[in-house]
Amino acid sequence: MKRGCLYILFLVVMLNDTSLNQFLKLPVLVAHFTEHLQQDSRIGFVQFLAMHYWGTDLNDNDDDRDAQLPYKKVDLHSLDHPVPPLFKAAIGQHPDFSSVLVQPVFNNDLLPQPALESLFRPPKA
């Protein structure tokens, strides 16, 4: 039950915050295509898409219906809020690190020991 609720919640968030909600308008696309088929039976689906998305639309006084098609207008649902920095920038002189010489420290315990890692090793007591 919890998993089903999570799936539904995920679907609602994805449809609301992304452009996936435009897929819910696909029945409007099909209905508008059938309206154009009733006006002109020679029109194909690719011609219909080219007319509404890539070319110039016919002057058939259906601009309100054309605006309902999926991906016809861009909806921006996300807002970017400016966030003030949580720290103060300290402006001053930078220390001179060029005079400090750091010597690396080697730990021999971390190096592999070939006698203990070989296939033929001495027996353990």
Side-chain angles (χ1 to χ4, degrees):
M1 182 66 182
K2 289 181 183 180
R3 183 175 284 182
C5 290
L6 285 176
Y7 286 142
I8 292 171
L9 182 64
F10 178 72
L11 182 67
V12 167
V13 168
M14 288 301 292
L15 288 176
N16 191 26
D17 289 340
T18 63
S19 63
L20 292 177
N21 63 351
Q22 297 293 321
F23 280 117
L24 298 177
K25 295 182 180 181
L26 285 179
V28 176
L29 180 75
V30 173
H32 193 59
F33 176 64
T34 56
E35 292 169 2
H36 275 275
L37 276 179
Q38 290 173 355
Q39 293 175 359
D40 184 12
S41 61
R42 294 175 291 142
I43 190 169
F45 188 69
V46 176
Q47 292 172 338
F48 169 77
L49 290 178
M51 179 174 48
H52 284 86
Y53 288 100
W54 306 302
T56 56
D57 193 10
L58 297 175
N59 192 5
D60 52 359
N61 297 326
D62 66 344
D63 293 335
D64 294 334
R65 185 75 169 154
D66 291 345
Q68 296 173 353
L69 294 176
Y71 296 104
K72 194 66 174 176
K73 64 178 185 173
V74 177
D75 295 329
L76 296 176
H77 294 292
S78 65
L79 298 174
D80 294 329
H81 300 288
V83 178
L86 299 176
F87 61 90
K88 282 187 170 180
I91 301 174
Q93 291 183 338
H94 295 287
D96 185 22
F97 291 112
S98 62
S99 63
V100 179
L101 184 62
V102 178
Q103 296 290 334
V105 177
F106 294 108
N107 190 354
N108 290 336
D109 295 336
L110 299 177
L111 296 176
Q113 297 178 357
L116 296 178
E117 292 181 358
S118 68
L119 185 61
F120 300 105
R121 55 179 173 251
K124 293 182 182 178

